[in-house]
PDB file of all heavy atoms in Angstrom:
ATOM      1  N   SER A  79     139.299 254.139  44.064  1.00  0.00           N
ATOM      2  CA  SER A  79     140.206 254.052  45.210  1.00  0.00           C
ATOM      3  C   SER A  79     141.357 253.130  44.830  1.00  0.00           C
ATOM      4  O   SER A  79     141.222 251.907  44.845  1.00  0.00           O
ATOM      5  CB  SER A  79     139.477 253.514  46.446  1.00  0.00           C
ATOM      6  OG  SER A  79     140.351 253.447  47.558  1.00  0.00           O
ATOM      7  N   VAL A  80     142.497 253.754  44.470  1.00  0.00           N
ATOM      8  CA  VAL A  80     143.660 253.006  43.997  1.00  0.00           C
ATOM      9  C   VAL A  80     144.878 253.435  44.823  1.00  0.00           C
ATOM     10  O   VAL A  80     145.202 254.625  44.871  1.00  0.00           O
ATOM     11  CB  VAL A  80     143.929 253.273  42.504  1.00  0.00           C
ATOM     12  CG1 VAL A  80     145.133 252.477  42.019  1.00  0.00           C
ATOM     13  CG2 VAL A  80     142.692 252.946  41.664  1.00  0.00           C
ATOM     14  N   PRO A  81     145.572 252.507  45.496  1.00  0.00           N
ATOM     15  CA  PRO A  81     146.730 252.887  46.304  1.00  0.00           C
ATOM     16  C   PRO A  81     147.816 253.564  45.468  1.00  0.00           C
ATOM     17  O   PRO A  81     148.045 253.201  44.308  1.00  0.00           O
ATOM     18  CB  PRO A  81     147.232 251.548  46.862  1.00  0.00           C
ATOM     19  CG  PRO A  81     146.046 250.651  46.821  1.00  0.00           C
ATOM     20  CD  PRO A  81     145.279 251.068  45.600  1.00  0.00           C
ATOM     21  N   VAL A  82     148.455 254.568  46.048  1.00  0.00           N
ATOM     22  CA  VAL A  82     149.592 255.231  45.414  1.00  0.00           C
ATOM     23  C   VAL A  82     150.753 255.274  46.406  1.00  0.00           C
ATOM     24  O   VAL A  82     150.549 255.333  47.613  1.00  0.00           O
ATOM     25  CB  VAL A  82     149.247 256.664  44.943  1.00  0.00           C
ATOM     26  CG1 VAL A  82     148.115 256.638  43.940  1.00  0.00           C
ATOM     27  CG2 VAL A  82     148.887 257.568  46.115  1.00  0.00           C
ATOM     28  N   ARG A  83     151.968 255.245  45.872  1.00  0.00           N
ATOM     29  CA  ARG A  83     153.155 255.317  46.721  1.00  0.00           C
ATOM     30  C   ARG A  83     153.521 256.755  47.059  1.00  0.00           C
ATOM     31  O   ARG A  83     153.985 257.057  48.149  1.00  0.00           O
ATOM     32  CB  ARG A  83     154.349 254.629  46.036  1.00  0.00           C
ATOM     33  CG  ARG A  83     154.196 253.132  45.877  1.00  0.00           C
ATOM     34  CD  ARG A  83     155.437 252.534  45.213  1.00  0.00           C
ATOM     35  NE  ARG A  83     155.334 251.083  45.121  1.00  0.00           N
ATOM     36  CZ  ARG A  83     155.720 250.243  46.078  1.00  0.00           C
ATOM     37  NH1 ARG A  83     156.224 250.713  47.201  1.00  0.00           N
ATOM     38  NH2 ARG A  83     155.596 248.943  45.914  1.00  0.00           N
ATOM     39  N   ASP A  84     153.333 257.635  46.093  1.00  0.00           N
ATOM     40  CA  ASP A  84     153.777 259.013  46.228  1.00  0.00           C
ATOM     41  C   ASP A  84     152.598 259.927  45.896  1.00  0.00           C
ATOM     42  O   ASP A  84     152.068 259.873  44.778  1.00  0.00           O
ATOM     43  CB  ASP A  84     154.937 259.279  45.255  1.00  0.00           C
ATOM     44  CG  ASP A  84     155.540 260.663  45.393  1.00  0.00           C
ATOM     45  OD1 ASP A  84     154.837 261.578  45.864  1.00  0.00           O
ATOM     46  OD2 ASP A  84     156.719 260.839  45.004  1.00  0.00           O
ATOM     47  N   PRO A  85     152.151 260.768  46.836  1.00  0.00           N
ATOM     48  CA  PRO A  85     150.994 261.621  46.553  1.00  0.00           C
ATOM     49  C   PRO A  85     151.266 262.711  45.530  1.00  0.00           C
ATOM     50  O   PRO A  85     150.325 263.372  45.071  1.00  0.00           O
ATOM     51  CB  PRO A  85     150.668 262.222  47.920  1.00  0.00           C
ATOM     52  CG  PRO A  85     151.941 262.150  48.697  1.00  0.00           C
ATOM     53  CD  PRO A  85     152.641 260.912  48.218  1.00  0.00           C
ATOM     54  N   ASP A  86     152.521 262.904  45.153  1.00  0.00           N
ATOM     55  CA  ASP A  86     152.863 263.869  44.113  1.00  0.00           C
ATOM     56  C   ASP A  86     153.016 263.224  42.741  1.00  0.00           C
ATOM     57  O   ASP A  86     152.687 263.834  41.719  1.00  0.00           O
ATOM     58  CB  ASP A  86     154.170 264.593  44.446  1.00  0.00           C
ATOM     59  CG  ASP A  86     153.978 265.649  45.508  1.00  0.00           C
ATOM     60  OD1 ASP A  86     152.993 266.392  45.420  1.00  0.00           O
ATOM     61  OD2 ASP A  86     154.804 265.726  46.434  1.00  0.00           O
ATOM     62  N   GLU A  87     153.530 262.001  42.716  1.00  0.00           N
ATOM     63  CA  GLU A  87     153.844 261.336  41.453  1.00  0.00           C
ATOM     64  C   GLU A  87     153.083 260.017  41.390  1.00  0.00           C
ATOM     65  O   GLU A  87     153.451 259.055  42.057  1.00  0.00           O
ATOM     66  CB  GLU A  87     155.356 261.082  41.343  1.00  0.00           C
ATOM     67  CG  GLU A  87     156.198 262.353  41.358  1.00  0.00           C
ATOM     68  CD  GLU A  87     156.060 263.169  40.087  1.00  0.00           C
ATOM     69  OE1 GLU A  87     155.628 262.605  39.060  1.00  0.00           O
ATOM     70  OE2 GLU A  87     156.362 264.368  40.132  1.00  0.00           O
ATOM     71  N   TYR A  88     152.015 259.994  40.634  1.00  0.00           N
ATOM     72  CA  TYR A  88     151.248 258.758  40.500  1.00  0.00           C
ATOM     73  C   TYR A  88     150.617 258.716  39.115  1.00  0.00           C
ATOM     74  O   TYR A  88     150.294 259.740  38.527  1.00  0.00           O
ATOM     75  CB  TYR A  88     150.181 258.631  41.584  1.00  0.00           C
ATOM     76  CG  TYR A  88     149.227 259.794  41.678  1.00  0.00           C
ATOM     77  CD1 TYR A  88     148.047 259.819  40.927  1.00  0.00           C
ATOM     78  CD2 TYR A  88     149.488 260.866  42.524  1.00  0.00           C
ATOM     79  CE1 TYR A  88     147.165 260.881  41.016  1.00  0.00           C
ATOM     80  CE2 TYR A  88     148.608 261.933  42.614  1.00  0.00           C
ATOM     81  CZ  TYR A  88     147.455 261.935  41.865  1.00  0.00           C
ATOM     82  OH  TYR A  88     146.585 262.990  41.952  1.00  0.00           O
ATOM     83  N   GLU A  89     150.466 257.514  38.611  1.00  0.00           N
ATOM     84  CA  GLU A  89     149.830 257.342  37.313  1.00  0.00           C
ATOM     85  C   GLU A  89     148.315 257.431  37.453  1.00  0.00           C
ATOM     86  O   GLU A  89     147.755 257.180  38.530  1.00  0.00           O
ATOM     87  CB  GLU A  89     150.222 255.990  36.714  1.00  0.00           C
ATOM     88  CG  GLU A  89     151.704 255.866  36.373  1.00  0.00           C
ATOM     89  CD  GLU A  89     152.032 254.542  35.707  1.00  0.00           C
ATOM     90  OE1 GLU A  89     151.115 253.698  35.592  1.00  0.00           O
ATOM     91  OE2 GLU A  89     153.190 254.368  35.304  1.00  0.00           O
ATOM     92  N   THR A  90     147.669 257.808  36.392  1.00  0.00           N
ATOM     93  CA  THR A  90     146.215 257.786  36.338  1.00  0.00           C
ATOM     94  C   THR A  90     145.801 256.929  35.154  1.00  0.00           C
ATOM     95  O   THR A  90     146.527 256.816  34.173  1.00  0.00           O
ATOM     96  CB  THR A  90     145.641 259.207  36.193  1.00  0.00           C
ATOM     97  OG1 THR A  90     146.156 259.813  34.997  1.00  0.00           O
ATOM     98  CG2 THR A  90     146.020 260.063  37.399  1.00  0.00           C
ATOM     99  N   GLU A  91     144.633 256.322  35.269  1.00  0.00           N
ATOM    100  CA  GLU A  91     144.211 255.352  34.268  1.00  0.00           C
ATOM    101  C   GLU A  91     142.843 255.732  33.685  1.00  0.00           C
ATOM    102  O   GLU A  91     141.934 256.144  34.418  1.00  0.00           O
ATOM    103  CB  GLU A  91     144.117 253.960  34.893  1.00  0.00           C
ATOM    104  CG  GLU A  91     145.427 253.431  35.473  1.00  0.00           C
ATOM    105  CD  GLU A  91     146.415 252.980  34.413  1.00  0.00           C
ATOM    106  OE1 GLU A  91     146.018 252.908  33.229  1.00  0.00           O
ATOM    107  OE2 GLU A  91     147.574 252.711  34.774  1.00  0.00           O
ATOM    108  N   GLN A  92     142.698 255.544  32.387  1.00  0.00           N
ATOM    109  CA  GLN A  92     141.438 255.869  31.731  1.00  0.00           C
ATOM    110  C   GLN A  92     140.299 254.983  32.222  1.00  0.00           C
ATOM    111  O   GLN A  92     139.144 255.404  32.247  1.00  0.00           O
ATOM    112  CB  GLN A  92     141.592 255.744  30.212  1.00  0.00           C
ATOM    113  CG  GLN A  92     140.353 256.099  29.410  1.00  0.00           C
ATOM    114  CD  GLN A  92     139.896 257.547  29.601  1.00  0.00           C
ATOM    115  OE1 GLN A  92     140.712 258.407  29.926  1.00  0.00           O
ATOM    116  NE2 GLN A  92     138.598 257.793  29.410  1.00  0.00           N
ATOM    117  N   TRP A  93     140.632 253.754  32.652  1.00  0.00           N
ATOM    118  CA  TRP A  93     139.557 252.892  33.138  1.00  0.00           C
ATOM    119  C   TRP A  93     138.844 253.496  34.342  1.00  0.00           C
ATOM    120  O   TRP A  93     137.640 253.253  34.550  1.00  0.00           O
ATOM    121  CB  TRP A  93     140.067 251.491  33.484  1.00  0.00           C
ATOM    122  CG  TRP A  93     140.945 251.392  34.703  1.00  0.00           C
ATOM    123  CD1 TRP A  93     142.295 251.317  34.733  1.00  0.00           C
ATOM    124  CD2 TRP A  93     140.523 251.354  36.080  1.00  0.00           C
ATOM    125  NE1 TRP A  93     142.753 251.239  36.034  1.00  0.00           N
ATOM    126  CE2 TRP A  93     141.678 251.259  36.880  1.00  0.00           C
ATOM    127  CE3 TRP A  93     139.281 251.389  36.716  1.00  0.00           C
ATOM    128  CZ2 TRP A  93     141.639 251.202  38.273  1.00  0.00           C
ATOM    129  CZ3 TRP A  93     139.226 251.338  38.112  1.00  0.00           C
ATOM    130  CH2 TRP A  93     140.395 251.230  38.869  1.00  0.00           C
ATOM    131  N   GLU A  94     139.565 254.281  35.140  1.00  0.00           N
ATOM    132  CA  GLU A  94     138.938 254.913  36.297  1.00  0.00           C
ATOM    133  C   GLU A  94     137.844 255.885  35.863  1.00  0.00           C
ATOM    134  O   GLU A  94     136.772 255.952  36.476  1.00  0.00           O
ATOM    135  CB  GLU A  94     139.989 255.643  37.133  1.00  0.00           C
ATOM    136  CG  GLU A  94     141.056 254.736  37.730  1.00  0.00           C
ATOM    137  CD  GLU A  94     142.109 255.535  38.473  1.00  0.00           C
ATOM    138  OE1 GLU A  94     141.807 256.000  39.595  1.00  0.00           O
ATOM    139  OE2 GLU A  94     143.222 255.711  37.937  1.00  0.00           O
ATOM    140  N   VAL A  95     138.139 256.643  34.819  1.00  0.00           N
ATOM    141  CA  VAL A  95     137.155 257.579  34.278  1.00  0.00           C
ATOM    142  C   VAL A  95     135.951 256.810  33.743  1.00  0.00           C
ATOM    143  O   VAL A  95     134.791 257.103  34.062  1.00  0.00           O
ATOM    144  CB  VAL A  95     137.784 258.446  33.172  1.00  0.00           C
ATOM    145  CG1 VAL A  95     136.735 259.330  32.509  1.00  0.00           C
ATOM    146  CG2 VAL A  95     138.932 259.281  33.728  1.00  0.00           C
ATOM    147  N   GLU A  96     136.231 255.798  32.925  1.00  0.00           N
ATOM    148  CA  GLU A  96     135.155 255.044  32.280  1.00  0.00           C
ATOM    149  C   GLU A  96     134.282 254.320  33.301  1.00  0.00           C
ATOM    150  O   GLU A  96     133.055 254.311  33.185  1.00  0.00           O
ATOM    151  CB  GLU A  96     135.755 254.050  31.286  1.00  0.00           C
ATOM    152  CG  GLU A  96     136.458 254.738  30.110  1.00  0.00           C
ATOM    153  CD  GLU A  96     137.284 253.784  29.266  1.00  0.00           C
ATOM    154  OE1 GLU A  96     137.359 252.589  29.645  1.00  0.00           O
ATOM    155  OE2 GLU A  96     137.854 254.224  28.250  1.00  0.00           O
ATOM    156  N   GLU A  97     134.929 253.741  34.315  1.00  0.00           N
ATOM    157  CA  GLU A  97     134.158 252.998  35.317  1.00  0.00           C
ATOM    158  C   GLU A  97     133.308 253.939  36.162  1.00  0.00           C
ATOM    159  O   GLU A  97     132.154 253.621  36.485  1.00  0.00           O
ATOM    160  CB  GLU A  97     135.089 252.178  36.212  1.00  0.00           C
ATOM    161  CG  GLU A  97     134.342 251.333  37.224  1.00  0.00           C
ATOM    162  CD  GLU A  97     135.205 250.252  37.835  1.00  0.00           C
ATOM    163  OE1 GLU A  97     135.880 249.541  37.074  1.00  0.00           O
ATOM    164  OE2 GLU A  97     135.205 250.129  39.058  1.00  0.00           O
ATOM    165  N   SER A  98     133.858 255.096  36.521  1.00  0.00           N
ATOM    166  CA  SER A  98     133.077 256.051  37.306  1.00  0.00           C
ATOM    167  C   SER A  98     131.854 256.513  36.540  1.00  0.00           C
ATOM    168  O   SER A  98     130.741 256.596  37.097  1.00  0.00           O
ATOM    169  CB  SER A  98     133.953 257.249  37.698  1.00  0.00           C
ATOM    170  OG  SER A  98     134.929 256.861  38.648  1.00  0.00           O
ATOM    171  N   ILE A  99     132.024 256.815  35.258  1.00  0.00           N
ATOM    172  CA  ILE A  99     130.885 257.243  34.450  1.00  0.00           C
ATOM    173  C   ILE A  99     129.860 256.118  34.330  1.00  0.00           C
ATOM    174  O   ILE A  99     128.651 256.318  34.520  1.00  0.00           O
ATOM    175  CB  ILE A  99     131.347 257.706  33.055  1.00  0.00           C
ATOM    176  CG1 ILE A  99     132.199 258.970  33.175  1.00  0.00           C
ATOM    177  CG2 ILE A  99     130.148 257.944  32.138  1.00  0.00           C
ATOM    178  CD1 ILE A  99     132.858 259.392  31.880  1.00  0.00           C
ATOM    179  N   GLU A 100     130.343 254.921  34.019  1.00  0.00           N
ATOM    180  CA  GLU A 100     129.434 253.787  33.822  1.00  0.00           C
ATOM    181  C   GLU A 100     128.631 253.480  35.087  1.00  0.00           C
ATOM    182  O   GLU A 100     127.412 253.267  35.025  1.00  0.00           O
ATOM    183  CB  GLU A 100     130.238 252.556  33.402  1.00  0.00           C
ATOM    184  CG  GLU A 100     129.392 251.321  33.178  1.00  0.00           C
ATOM    185  CD  GLU A 100     130.214 250.102  32.778  1.00  0.00           C
ATOM    186  OE1 GLU A 100     131.436 250.250  32.559  1.00  0.00           O
ATOM    187  OE2 GLU A 100     129.635 249.008  32.692  1.00  0.00           O
ATOM    188  N   GLU A 101     129.306 253.456  36.223  1.00  0.00           N
ATOM    189  CA  GLU A 101     128.627 253.109  37.468  1.00  0.00           C
ATOM    190  C   GLU A 101     127.660 254.210  37.899  1.00  0.00           C
ATOM    191  O   GLU A 101     126.561 253.925  38.378  1.00  0.00           O
ATOM    192  CB  GLU A 101     129.658 252.834  38.563  1.00  0.00           C
ATOM    193  CG  GLU A 101     130.451 251.558  38.360  1.00  0.00           C
ATOM    194  CD  GLU A 101     129.577 250.315  38.445  1.00  0.00           C
ATOM    195  OE1 GLU A 101     128.631 250.301  39.255  1.00  0.00           O
ATOM    196  OE2 GLU A 101     129.817 249.360  37.681  1.00  0.00           O
ATOM    197  N   CYS A 102     128.060 255.466  37.749  1.00  0.00           N
ATOM    198  CA  CYS A 102     127.155 256.562  38.102  1.00  0.00           C
ATOM    199  C   CYS A 102     125.952 256.591  37.158  1.00  0.00           C
ATOM    200  O   CYS A 102     124.829 256.922  37.568  1.00  0.00           O
ATOM    201  CB  CYS A 102     127.887 257.890  38.076  1.00  0.00           C
ATOM    202  SG  CYS A 102     129.066 258.106  39.442  1.00  0.00           S
ATOM    203  N   ALA A 103     126.181 256.231  35.902  1.00  0.00           N
ATOM    204  CA  ALA A 103     125.091 256.188  34.926  1.00  0.00           C
ATOM    205  C   ALA A 103     124.071 255.105  35.247  1.00  0.00           C
ATOM    206  O   ALA A 103     122.927 255.178  34.775  1.00  0.00           O
ATOM    207  CB  ALA A 103     125.646 255.990  33.521  1.00  0.00           C
ATOM    208  N   ALA A 104     124.468 254.124  36.041  1.00  0.00           N
ATOM    209  CA  ALA A 104     123.482 253.129  36.465  1.00  0.00           C
ATOM    210  C   ALA A 104     122.384 253.781  37.302  1.00  0.00           C
ATOM    211  O   ALA A 104     121.228 253.355  37.268  1.00  0.00           O
ATOM    212  CB  ALA A 104     124.166 252.011  37.263  1.00  0.00           C
ATOM    213  N   MET A 105     122.742 254.833  38.057  1.00  0.00           N
ATOM    214  CA  MET A 105     121.749 255.588  38.821  1.00  0.00           C
ATOM    215  C   MET A 105     121.102 256.675  37.985  1.00  0.00           C
ATOM    216  O   MET A 105     119.899 256.921  38.082  1.00  0.00           O
ATOM    217  CB  MET A 105     122.406 256.252  40.043  1.00  0.00           C
ATOM    218  CG  MET A 105     122.765 255.345  41.179  1.00  0.00           C
ATOM    219  SD  MET A 105     123.247 256.313  42.645  1.00  0.00           S
ATOM    220  CE  MET A 105     124.806 257.036  42.126  1.00  0.00           C
ATOM    221  N   LEU A 106     121.908 257.342  37.165  1.00  0.00           N
ATOM    222  CA  LEU A 106     121.474 258.527  36.427  1.00  0.00           C
ATOM    223  C   LEU A 106     121.902 258.358  34.974  1.00  0.00           C
ATOM    224  O   LEU A 106     122.945 258.854  34.553  1.00  0.00           O
ATOM    225  CB  LEU A 106     122.121 259.761  37.057  1.00  0.00           C
ATOM    226  CG  LEU A 106     121.559 261.120  36.689  1.00  0.00           C
ATOM    227  CD1 LEU A 106     120.134 261.288  37.232  1.00  0.00           C
ATOM    228  CD2 LEU A 106     122.450 262.232  37.234  1.00  0.00           C
ATOM    229  N   PRO A 107     121.130 257.619  34.172  1.00  0.00           N
ATOM    230  CA  PRO A 107     121.590 257.206  32.836  1.00  0.00           C
ATOM    231  C   PRO A 107     122.028 258.342  31.921  1.00  0.00           C
ATOM    232  O   PRO A 107     122.925 258.164  31.086  1.00  0.00           O
ATOM    233  CB  PRO A 107     120.365 256.477  32.268  1.00  0.00           C
ATOM    234  CG  PRO A 107     119.647 255.962  33.470  1.00  0.00           C
ATOM    235  CD  PRO A 107     119.826 257.013  34.517  1.00  0.00           C
ATOM    236  N   SER A 108     121.454 259.517  32.068  1.00  0.00           N
ATOM    237  CA  SER A 108     121.768 260.600  31.135  1.00  0.00           C
ATOM    238  C   SER A 108     123.200 261.097  31.259  1.00  0.00           C
ATOM    239  O   SER A 108     123.711 261.735  30.329  1.00  0.00           O
ATOM    240  CB  SER A 108     120.800 261.767  31.334  1.00  0.00           C
ATOM    241  OG  SER A 108     120.804 262.190  32.677  1.00  0.00           O
ATOM    242  N   VAL A 109     123.898 260.795  32.355  1.00  0.00           N
ATOM    243  CA  VAL A 109     125.287 261.259  32.465  1.00  0.00           C
ATOM    244  C   VAL A 109     126.218 260.454  31.571  1.00  0.00           C
ATOM    245  O   VAL A 109     127.343 260.881  31.292  1.00  0.00           O
ATOM    246  CB  VAL A 109     125.803 261.240  33.923  1.00  0.00           C
ATOM    247  CG1 VAL A 109     124.937 262.107  34.813  1.00  0.00           C
ATOM    248  CG2 VAL A 109     125.930 259.821  34.481  1.00  0.00           C
ATOM    249  N   ALA A 110     125.764 259.291  31.091  1.00  0.00           N
ATOM    250  CA  ALA A 110     126.632 258.457  30.250  1.00  0.00           C
ATOM    251  C   ALA A 110     127.038 259.179  28.983  1.00  0.00           C
ATOM    252  O   ALA A 110     128.162 259.006  28.486  1.00  0.00           O
ATOM    253  CB  ALA A 110     125.930 257.146  29.914  1.00  0.00           C
ATOM    254  N   ASP A 111     126.153 259.987  28.454  1.00  0.00           N
ATOM    255  CA  ASP A 111     126.424 260.691  27.203  1.00  0.00           C
ATOM    256  C   ASP A 111     126.594 262.190  27.401  1.00  0.00           C
ATOM    257  O   ASP A 111     126.694 262.935  26.416  1.00  0.00           O
ATOM    258  CB  ASP A 111     125.281 260.442  26.209  1.00  0.00           C
ATOM    259  CG  ASP A 111     125.125 258.967  25.885  1.00  0.00           C
ATOM    260  OD1 ASP A 111     126.151 258.299  25.691  1.00  0.00           O
ATOM    261  OD2 ASP A 111     123.978 258.492  25.854  1.00  0.00           O
ATOM    262  N   ALA A 112     126.618 262.636  28.634  1.00  0.00           N
ATOM    263  CA  ALA A 112     126.773 264.069  28.891  1.00  0.00           C
ATOM    264  C   ALA A 112     128.194 264.507  28.550  1.00  0.00           C
ATOM    265  O   ALA A 112     129.156 263.774  28.805  1.00  0.00           O
ATOM    266  CB  ALA A 112     126.467 264.369  30.350  1.00  0.00           C
TER     267      ALA A 112
END
């Protein structure tokens, strides 16, 4: 959940991907390497 100014033009960050995988893997470890 990251605020954006423009719903059409916004940057995306690799940390969001990595953090989502890492945190979800805390519940379901096998997704870390899927």
Side-chain angles (χ1 to χ4, degrees):
S79 181
V80 181
V82 300
R83 293 181 177 272
D84 184 335
D86 284 316
E87 299 289 340
Y88 55 89
E89 294 183 356
T90 59
E91 300 285 350
Q92 182 61 26
W93 70 260
E94 297 176 75
V95 175
E96 294 169 357
E97 183 164 312
S98 290
I99 294 172
E100 180 181 354
E101 290 295 324
C102 289
M105 286 190 291
L106 195 67
S108 55
V109 302
D111 300 317

